[in-house]
Amino acid sequence: MISTHTLDELMVQEEPLKIGIVEAETRISGSDQQRIFRLIREAYASKEYHVIISPEYSFMPRSRPLSEAELAEYLEKLKHLSDRTLLIPGTFVWKKEDRIQNSCYVFYNGEIIHQQDKIEDGGEGRFAVRHSLKYQPGETLSPFQWKDLKIGIEICADAGSLAQRRVLDLDIVFLVASGNPDLPRSMKAVHQKGYGVVADGLEQVYIAGNLAEVHKKFKNLFGGVYSQF
């Protein structure tokens, strides 16, 4: 399934930005990678979306990290689904030598245009230890430019990190998560008319909207004020 959202205030090619969020259950213990890839491919083939995004751990084998060869194979396949679409296919947990990383790649026009590695440990450390490995956290967190939009990506436990680094002028922030859908916290980094999008594979939350809309939706979803601005 694909959750469809239109961001009316953000224009791309004279059209409101249309986002497709892959609905999938994802966990650090593993996800259905083939199903997620199929849904991404189908969303791309529909020619309906400017942006396609899926949750954290979308590309995570059952109970083990991806090898470098497996990662490279997925990245090559996904490049071909981005010639007219900004593609953010969740995260990949992969092994390099004795360390694992949790990485989000952004594709456009057949290329990787941005990479964000998860910084905070949201369970990766324990997972690494079980495989006699170490968790390698990301070192930087920075926005990127796509068309006329300034965009930020935060991965689960990193929610709020862009604002902490005094990034406060994003047009849109994407939060890819698995069990920590704190989008209001991430959206401290957007300007007054900015938008936020969350794709959470554990809580199964898929939301896009501006500050007021997101705050209201999260209040309704969780039966109380989920996060204060």
Side-chain angles (χ1 to χ4, degrees):
M1 295 287 292
I2 302 293
S3 177
T4 300
H5 304 267
T6 301
L7 309 187
D8 294 322
E9 299 296 324
L10 298 182
M11 305 298 291
V12 175
Q13 298 170 341
E14 300 182 352
E15 297 177 345
L17 186 70
K18 195 168 185 179
I19 295 175
I21 306 176
V22 174
E23 298 185 4
E25 181 178 356
T26 61
R27 300 170 181 267
I28 195 170
S29 58
S31 62
D32 189 343
Q33 301 165 93
Q34 292 184 349
R35 176 180 178 271
I36 292 170
F37 183 81
R38 176 176 56 79
L39 288 171
I40 290 173
R41 187 176 56 207
E42 290 174 358
Y44 168 78
S46 74
K47 301 181 181 180
E48 186 177 352
Y49 303 106
H50 299 108
V51 181
I52 299 170
I53 182 172
S54 56
E56 182 183 26
Y57 305 137
S58 281
F59 292 91
M60 174 65 186
R62 301 293 182 185
S63 302
R64 67 173 181 85
L66 292 165
S67 68
E68 289 186 78
E70 288 172 322
L71 173 67
E73 183 177 355
Y74 270 125
L75 297 183
E76 193 61 32
K77 289 180 179 179
L78 290 164
K79 286 179 182 179
H80 297 291
L81 304 179
S82 69
D83 62 322
R84 59 177 178 268
T85 306
L86 185 71
L87 176 57
I88 308 172
T91 70
F92 302 75
V93 177
W94 59 287
K95 172 188 173 183
K96 182 176 182 179
E97 297 176 349
D98 65 341
R99 297 181 180 271
I100 66 165
Q101 292 178 240
N102 188 359
S103 303
C104 178
Y105 298 87
V106 181
F107 302 81
Y108 184 63
N109 200 26
E111 298 180 354
I112 296 172
I113 64 169
H114 185 72
Q115 177 180 343
Q116 180 59 58
D117 298 321
K118 187 175 182 180
I119 297 173
E120 298 295 329
D121 185 347
E124 288 80 7
R126 293 191 301 274
F127 176 82
V129 168
R130 288 200 297 271
H131 293 268
S132 301
L133 301 169
K134 297 178 182 178
Y135 172 51
Q136 177 64 56
E139 297 180 355
T140 61
L141 187 66
S142 59
F144 66 97
Q145 201 78 20
W146 176 67
K147 297 188 181 293
D148 295 326
L149 301 178
K150 187 175 182 180
I151 298 173
I153 292 177
E154 295 184 332
I155 304 173
C156 205
D158 292 343
S161 297
L162 284 164
Q164 290 175 0
R165 289 163 170 77
R166 308 308 300 166
V167 176
L168 305 171
D169 61 345
L170 297 178
D171 293 299
I172 184 168
V173 62
F174 292 100
L175 175 61
V176 293
S178 178
N180 183 37
D182 198 345
L183 185 58
R185 189 175 175 203
S186 289
M187 288 185 68
K188 292 178 181 179
V190 304
H191 57 71
Q192 189 173 6
K193 293 185 178 180
Y195 283 84
V197 176
V198 60
D200 186 283
L202 187 59
E203 301 291 343
Q204 300 285 280
V205 175
Y206 315 100
I207 288 179
N210 64 26
L211 287 173
E213 291 170 349
V214 167
H215 190 59
K216 182 178 179 181
K217 287 179 180 178
F218 270 88
K219 183 176 180 179
N220 291 340
L221 279 170
F222 295 95
V225 177
Y226 185 72
S227 180
Q228 297 286 352
F229 301 123

